[in-house]
Amino acid sequence: KHTTSQSSAASDVYKRQAILDVRLPGGTSCYDVAVELAKRDVAIVFHSGHVQVDFAESFPMAVFCGKPASPTKLLDALDEARRNLLTV
């Protein structure tokens, strides 16, 4: 049985994750958003058909998941991104 503090801790973990597309409509990049999320120790998955080397270098703890991807593959990528944060 989970205690309230365990449930709260688990909930916090799931609030601290993000799936971002590298290129947004109009050519906008998610780079600035990713920088802010990384500062806050948010697990990041880049879900994109356009993996850029500068993103991989700037966000080594992030996981890249190409499009298209099944929901299961995205969930696995989020799990990996969370584990990456724990290894810092």
Side-chain angles (χ1 to χ4, degrees):
K1 185 176 180 178
H2 292 291
T3 66
T4 302
S5 63
Q6 287 172 323
S7 295
S8 177
S11 176
D12 287 345
V13 167
Y14 289 105
K15 289 178 185 174
R16 295 178 46 219
Q17 57 190 3
I19 298 173
L20 303 175
D21 195 339
V22 172
R23 289 192 193 162
L24 303 173
T28 304
S29 170
C30 70
Y31 190 88
D32 292 338
V33 172
V35 167
E36 287 304 312
L37 293 173
K39 287 179 186 176
R40 296 178 176 141
D41 291 326
V42 173
I44 299 170
V45 172
F46 292 108
H47 182 226
S48 180
H50 308 280
V51 176
Q52 295 176 280
V53 174
D54 57 330
F55 275 71
E57 291 173 356
S58 297
F59 306 100
M61 303 310 285
V63 175
F64 293 84
C65 187
K67 286 183 178 179
S70 69
T72 300
K73 187 170 181 177
L74 285 170
L75 290 173
D76 290 345
L78 283 171
D79 286 341
E80 182 181 346
R82 283 193 303 271
R83 284 193 304 273
N84 289 349
L85 285 177
L86 295 175
T87 62
V88 175

